[in-house]
Amino acid sequence: MAGSSTTVADAQKHSETCKLVPSASKWNSSEFDLDVSLPSPYSKSYDFELVISDKTHYKRFLYVSFALAFLVLSLGLVLRFLPHKNHHHRQSNNLTLAVNRALTFFDAQKSGSYPSNSPISFRGSSGLQDGNSSNIHVDLVGGFYDSGNNIKFTFPTAYTITLLSWSVIEYHRKFADIGELEHIKDIIKWGSDYLLKVSVPASAKSDSTVGSASNDTKNLVPNDINCWQRPEDMSYKRPVSVCNETASDLAGEIVAALSAASIVFKQDIGYSQGLVKTAEVIYEATEKADRNSRAVTYTTIDACGGEARKFYDSSGYKDELVWGATWLFFATGNHTYLDYATTNYAAAADNETVEDKGIFYWNNKITANAVLFTRLRFFRDLGFPYEKTLELSSNMTDQLMCSYLSDKYFNTTPGGLILLRPHNGGPLQFAATASFLSKLYNDYLTLLLRSGWNCTNDGFSLEMLQSFSTSQASLYLSTRDNPRKMSYMVGFGDRYPTRVHHRSASIPWDGQYHSCDEGNRWLNSEDQNPNILLGAVVAGPDRFDDFSDERDKPWFTEPSIASNAALVAALIAHHDPPRQSSASNSPTLGLDLMGIFEKVQFKS
């Protein structure tokens, strides 16, 4: 099927059917206090009359026994207190490397004044005139190139920053434990700095695209699509698309990104407050227009993004407005934003397209918002007037988890990769967000000491949910678990894609200028890329698990920042948590349970 059939009505209908499902481990941990007296065959006062016939042997026996006991105790103490050189097992070692690789891809996608300390050796400064085009004059230097082309799309950039920030808010202890916290914070800030530039609060305008997405083969005017050229060599015009507050989906995602990033950088008070202030101005302009102009049909970025819709064709705006308001509430504690989010959530869910149901990606935030609301209900329940929407979201989340585990809703490839959008390419990015959400929810339930859940006629244990989430993440990386016997992450494992659809990776970094015509030679070459694009996750196999490592087939070999963000979130969720001290008795799973609620207070 194309997607889950779960609707708002379904979740409401089954709100009373969700009950605890005990697992075997739950029963095994139970204690039964049975007051039953069984007669002993021996009298308590029976005298066995033990006689020691040889005291010398007896003393030796005692000495040997004490010596052995002392050795065992000493060995146990040594093993207990000896510093561990590496407390992660082999799987976590692999995940640590995978997280580093996945983050390194963002270093390769940076536009603007390129950092001298970058781990990528085949990139330099580029796009230094961005924003200084014929139609607009503003500083738009920076940001990320979206994929294998040289275009900067604001919508997926904002989604990427929101998702990366969410993963840090939840699992910053894990990032810190493996030495990647500053790395991912640098990536988030590179994106949030750019989002501040593209946002013009005074008029609530945003720049949706830098670069041309037109495949102009007739007039042969060089642009970011028909010219295969390194970004450092670009000399053609890069037009800017401008949107106002009626591009509500774009505005909502920018609000979400800036708000989530403000929580990540909460210790940098000035920067964090600047992110929140911009987010509030954008949100208020968009929400005000929505509230006062109900008769006006609201548009999406299609109306202002021009050619961008060929790549990111948004299907609606209500989910992004709710998504943005939710994150703005967590960033500020202002209940006005939660009022909007909870009041409009059901309508946004009803507006969800059939093919997007149960999927979290750049175009649909309903599923992820349900998980956030469920988190709020579980750990910081604010009661009236939010309980109805929070309960609805909780039921929808339960239904979502059951849909992941049932073949009634989604099919899989022969190798087990879930097909959330079977008729669209790039299945890995959808599987990654499913892996992230299911592992995150598994952690929530674990901390609540629950062992499983029921949804309508289906149910799941935490072991089932863990198995699903782990399998979807491992199919990216394992040379054993997928039928192709390869990793879909460049530079990870012994076998991975070598002809990635990517301009910078495919053109030699030789200090020479390469024109568009020269670039075409590399586009059409069958040689492996001269530069290894570490951490890039390609689009992946088709629904039959077939994959073609060819540069001119982007539906197989093109990476994107949105897809890599999804994998980063999934990988860090599955990484082993930091080792707890012996004094700690309660599990944390590496999750910051209450950090997201730092500014959340009960409504007065």
Side-chain angles (χ1 to χ4, degrees):
M1 298 178 64
S4 170
S5 59
T6 304
T7 64
V8 174
D10 292 331
Q12 292 172 330
K13 177 180 179 181
H14 303 302
S15 63
E16 302 299 324
T17 65
C18 296
K19 300 178 181 178
L20 186 64
V21 177
S23 68
S25 60
K26 182 72 173 179
W27 293 118
N28 290 339
S29 64
S30 300
E31 295 182 358
F32 296 87
D33 186 11
L34 302 178
D35 186 15
V36 179
S37 298
L38 298 177
S40 171
Y42 302 105
S43 169
K44 295 180 181 179
S45 60
Y46 190 88
D47 187 0
F48 287 92
E49 296 183 357
L50 297 176
V51 178
I52 300 174
S53 59
D54 189 334
K55 292 185 178 181
T56 301
H57 285 85
Y58 177 65
K59 289 181 179 179
R60 289 177 181 173
F61 170 75
L62 290 179
Y63 292 152
V64 171
S65 297
F66 283 130
L68 288 173
F70 178 76
L71 286 173
V72 170
L73 178 62
S74 300
L75 181 60
L77 290 174
V78 169
L79 292 175
R80 173 66 181 82
F81 294 105
L82 187 67
H84 289 259
K85 198 169 186 180
N86 188 350
H87 61 262
H88 294 300
H89 49 63
R90 183 175 180 181
Q91 181 181 1
S92 286
N93 287 335
N94 290 338
L95 286 179
T96 298
L97 179 61
V99 171
N100 171 267
R101 291 284 193 265
L103 291 174
T104 300
F105 169 72
F106 291 97
D107 295 314
Q109 296 302 105
K110 287 180 177 178
S111 176
S113 298
Y114 203 69
S116 58
N117 62 347
S118 173
I120 303 299
S121 61
F122 57 88
R123 283 296 325 281
S125 296
S126 63
L128 299 180
Q129 296 300 315
D130 283 352
N132 190 26
S133 62
S134 57
N135 61 324
I136 190 173
H137 295 279
V138 64
D139 177 14
L140 296 178
V141 176
F144 298 100
Y145 297 116
D146 178 66
S147 52
N149 55 52
N150 296 336
I151 307 176
K152 300 189 296 191
F153 293 107
T154 303
F155 195 38
T157 295
Y159 162 78
T160 294
I161 298 307
T162 308
L163 183 50
L164 290 177
S165 296
W166 188 6
S167 72
V168 172
I169 292 167
E170 298 283 13
Y171 295 112
H172 61 85
R173 292 178 182 133
K174 291 187 180 183
F175 279 114
D177 188 53
I178 63 175
E180 293 294 342
L181 182 58
E182 294 308 313
H183 191 183
I184 191 172
K185 287 175 69 175
D186 171 76
I187 293 166
I188 292 171
K189 191 173 186 299
W190 192 275
S192 58
D193 283 350
Y194 180 72
L195 293 176
L196 289 174
K197 287 185 176 184
V198 303
S199 306
V200 188
S203 57
K205 291 182 179 179
S206 301
D207 302 305
S208 71
T209 311
V210 176
S212 175
S214 174
N215 191 11
D216 187 353
T217 58
K218 190 173 184 179
N219 297 319
L220 297 179
V221 177
N223 60 45
D224 296 284
I225 295 299
N226 63 33
C227 178
W228 193 264
Q229 190 176 42
R230 295 181 312 209
E232 292 80 5
D233 293 337
M234 294 185 300
S235 59
Y236 46 79
K237 291 184 178 180
R238 288 168 57 79
V240 177
S241 299
V242 182
C243 300
N244 60 22
E245 67 274 11
T246 62
S248 306
D249 46 5
L250 176 60
E253 192 60 67
I254 292 176
V255 169
L258 296 179
S259 301
S262 76
I263 301 175
V264 171
F265 296 106
K266 61 185 177 183
Q267 293 181 334
D268 186 345
I269 298 176
Y271 186 67
S272 179
Q273 289 179 343
L275 294 172
V276 170
K277 182 178 179 180
T278 302
E280 288 187 308
V281 172
I282 296 173
Y283 170 82
E284 288 167 7
T286 305
E287 193 276 331
K288 180 179 179 181
D290 183 35
R291 177 168 26 91
N292 295 337
S293 306
R294 295 292 183 180
V296 177
T297 301
Y298 251 63
T299 61
T300 67
I301 57 173
D302 290 359
C304 59
E307 298 159 347
R309 63 178 175 268
K310 297 176 182 177
F311 295 83
Y312 294 98
D313 188 10
S314 176
S315 60
Y317 69 91
K318 293 182 179 180
D319 58 322
E320 276 82 23
L321 284 183
V322 170
W323 178 243
T326 301
W327 278 110
L328 197 50
F329 165 69
F330 287 133
T332 63
N334 188 333
H335 282 255
T336 300
Y337 304 128
L338 184 61
D339 291 342
Y340 179 89
T342 53
T343 300
N344 291 277
Y345 180 74
D350 287 338
N351 196 52
E352 188 179 27
T353 64
V354 173
E355 66 175 3
D356 278 349
K357 286 190 180 298
I359 308 173
F360 172 38
Y361 72 121
W362 59 264
N363 187 41
N364 185 27
K365 317 306 180 327
I366 294 298
T367 294
N369 222 120
V371 174
L372 278 179
F373 279 160
T374 302
R375 192 195 206 289
L376 183 62
R377 185 189 186 210
F378 281 173
F379 304 113
R380 199 72 170 93
D381 194 349
L382 300 176
F384 181 82
Y386 309 116
E387 65 268 40
K388 184 176 180 180
T389 297
L390 298 188
E391 182 181 9
L392 167 66
S393 300
S394 181
N395 296 330
M396 291 178 68
T397 300
D398 293 330
Q399 291 289 110
L400 173 70
M401 299 303 150
C402 284
S403 73
Y404 286 158
L405 302 174
S406 173
D407 56 9
K408 297 178 183 177
Y409 301 104
F410 300 113
N411 295 320
T412 64
T413 67
L417 184 70
I418 192 170
L419 292 170
L420 296 173
R421 302 190 78 198
H423 302 297
N424 296 79
L428 293 180
Q429 64 170 313
F430 310 122
T433 53
S435 175
F436 169 62
L437 294 181
S438 55
K439 180 60 171 72
L440 187 61
Y441 192 57
N442 188 303
D443 285 352
Y444 294 165
L445 294 178
T446 299
L447 292 175
L448 290 172
L449 303 181
R450 296 180 180 177
S451 57
W453 209 252
N454 267 356
C455 314
T456 317
N457 297 322
D458 298 318
F460 62 88
S461 67
L462 295 193
E463 291 81 2
M464 294 167 61
L465 202 56
Q466 176 79 25
S467 177
F468 166 78
S469 65
T470 302
S471 70
Q472 298 308 302
S474 67
L475 284 170
Y476 273 90
L477 309 173
S478 177
T479 56
R480 297 174 302 168
D481 294 343
N482 69 66
R484 304 294 301 184
K485 304 301 179 185
M486 65 180 294
S487 165
Y488 290 112
M489 176 189 284
V490 177
F492 189 86
D494 298 327
R495 186 165 179 254
Y496 50 81
T498 60
R499 298 171 184 83
V500 181
H501 183 91
H502 192 274
R503 285 159 173 74
S504 292
S506 65
I507 301 175
W509 185 253
D510 53 8
Q512 303 296 316
Y513 171 85
H514 293 286
S515 66
C516 297
D517 290 337
E518 289 179 276
N520 289 332
R521 176 167 61 91
W522 293 102
L523 169 62
N524 299 316
S525 171
E526 296 182 1
D527 294 339
Q528 296 182 0
N529 287 349
N531 306 309
I532 299 178
L533 191 63
L534 283 178
V537 177
V538 297
D542 62 17
R543 58 197 179 103
F544 303 108
D545 273 323
D546 291 327
F547 177 80
S548 181
D549 186 12
E550 299 179 52
R551 194 175 299 109
D552 60 354
K553 293 183 177 179
W555 54 92
F556 285 122
T557 60
E558 187 169 27
S560 72
I561 57 174
S563 184
N564 259 68
L567 182 60
V568 168
L571 292 177
I572 199 64
H574 286 87
H575 200 288
D576 276 356
R579 188 178 183 185
Q580 289 182 259
S581 66
S582 57
S584 178
N585 295 321
S586 58
T588 65
L589 306 178
L591 186 82
D592 186 347
L593 187 60
M594 302 305 292
I596 195 173
F597 304 133
E598 188 172 303
K599 294 190 176 181
V600 175
Q601 303 293 330
F602 287 97
K603 195 172 185 178
S604 58

